[in-house]
Amino acid sequence: MHIAIIMDGNGRWANRQGLPRSEGHRAGAVRVREITEECVRKKIEYLTLYCLSSENWKRPKEELDFLMVLLKTHIINERSTLIDHNVILSAIGQRSGLPEDVLAEVDKSIEMTQNNTGLHLCLAINYGSRTEIVDAVQNIVREKIPAEEIDENCLSEHLYTAKMPDPDLLIRTAGELRLSNYLLWQLSYSEIWVTETCWPDFDKALFNKALDDFAKRQRRFGGL
C-alpha cells in the first residue's frame, strides 16, 4: 500500500496556540516520526510526504530559512531511527534552490538506508507536479523516443516516482479540498481522505481512522 500525505496546517495550528509559525513547523516535524513509525508497525510499503512545495518559496525568507534548518536537523536526528526501523529513504523534487548542506544530509541518509527492506519513505522537497511532468516530457524528447512508443507507461517511467506504485490513498490535513500541485499524474485514481485537524495534531489514532475509512471503500477504477 502507498499512502501520500499533504501535511497542511502547521502555521494555523501555531496561530491558534498563540505561537510563532516556526513552532508549528517544529511540532509538525515531531508528528512525522509518529506517523512513520505507525506505518512501519502496520507494514505499509510506501509513504510519501509533501514537505516543501515549489510554491512555498513565496513565503517570508525567515520562515524558509527556519524550514531549511529544521529539515537538516530532522534528517540528521532521525537517521538512526530510519536505520533501526529498516526504512528506505528517498526524495523527489528539484534540487536547485535547496542549500547544499541540506542536500548533503539528505543524500547521506538516502545512501545509508538504500539497503534497507522495509517502509519506503519518500520526501517531496521543493516539489511541484507540473514541473515533474514537464521534466518527464523533456527527458522523453532528449531520448528521442518515437511518438508511437510514448504511452502512459512511458511517461510514468520518466516521472520522479518511476520506481514507486501510484498512491492508493491521499490524506490531507487542515481541511483544504485541493491537490496543491501534488502528484497530479500519480493520484488519478487514488482515494482521498481529508480532515479538519491540522498536521501537528494528526496522531496515529486519526491516521488509523483514515485507513479504516479507506478499507470500507470500493475502488472501481472507472469500472462497475
Side-chain angles (χ1 to χ4, degrees):
M1 183 178 185
H2 183 179
I3 300 172
I5 303 180
I6 299 176
M7 306 178 293
D8 199 11
N10 290 341
R12 273 166 280 176
W13 179 88
N15 289 337
R16 291 168 187 170
Q17 311 294 322
L19 299 170
R21 289 175 60 85
S22 59
E23 291 306 309
H25 294 307
R26 198 189 307 276
V30 172
R31 194 61 70 185
V32 167
R33 181 175 189 174
E34 177 181 346
I35 298 306
T36 300
E37 289 181 341
E38 186 66 5
C39 285
V40 171
R41 190 184 72 81
K42 299 186 76 69
K43 297 186 178 353
I44 302 295
E45 295 172 291
Y46 292 86
L47 174 65
T48 302
L49 302 177
Y50 207 2
C51 300
L52 180 75
S53 79
S54 53
E55 287 79 21
N56 286 155
W57 296 110
K58 301 172 186 176
R59 295 186 178 186
K61 184 178 184 301
E62 181 181 359
E63 181 174 350
L64 290 170
D65 288 344
F66 176 83
L67 285 172
M68 291 300 102
V69 171
L70 181 63
L71 176 59
K72 178 181 176 181
T73 302
H74 189 72
I75 286 290
I76 294 172
N77 291 344
E78 296 300 316
R79 194 168 284 150
S80 60
T81 301
L82 294 176
I83 294 172
D84 290 344
H85 285 82
N86 198 28
V87 174
I88 308 159
L89 183 69
S90 68
I92 57 174
Q94 293 283 307
R95 292 175 66 89
S96 59
L98 292 172
E100 289 298 325
D101 59 330
V102 174
L103 289 172
E105 295 300 341
V106 172
D107 290 344
K108 183 176 180 180
S109 289
I110 290 173
E111 177 67 23
M112 291 177 67
T113 62
Q114 67 174 344
N115 293 323
N116 289 346
T117 58
L119 170 70
H120 186 144
L121 173 62
C122 179
L123 305 181
I125 307 170
N126 194 20
Y127 172 86
S129 188
R130 288 184 174 183
T131 299
E132 176 187 27
I133 293 171
V134 170
D135 284 349
V137 173
Q138 289 178 343
N139 286 329
I140 289 171
V141 171
R142 289 190 191 99
E143 294 171 20
K144 298 181 180 180
I145 297 176
E148 60 272 15
E149 295 181 16
I150 301 173
D151 55 16
E152 291 186 12
N153 287 333
C154 176
L155 200 147
S156 292
E157 289 170 359
H158 286 81
L159 295 175
Y160 304 155
T161 55
K163 297 180 180 180
M164 299 166 58
D166 290 341
D168 300 286
L169 173 65
L170 169 68
I171 296 173
R172 178 157 194 163
T173 58
E176 301 292 349
L177 301 176
R178 59 178 178 270
L179 295 179
S180 296
N181 199 19
Y182 185 48
L183 300 174
L184 300 179
W185 178 278
Q186 298 90 334
L187 291 172
S188 295
Y189 278 100
S190 303
E191 295 294 318
I192 300 175
W193 193 89
V194 178
T195 176
E196 293 289 335
T197 302
C198 291
W199 176 249
D201 286 331
F202 186 80
D203 58 15
K204 62 182 180 181
L206 198 53
F207 176 70
N208 282 306
K209 183 179 186 304
L211 295 184
D212 289 342
D213 287 350
F214 170 79
K216 297 173 185 175
R217 299 186 187 182
Q218 291 186 338
R219 306 181 71 195
R220 298 185 176 89
F221 299 97
L224 298 177

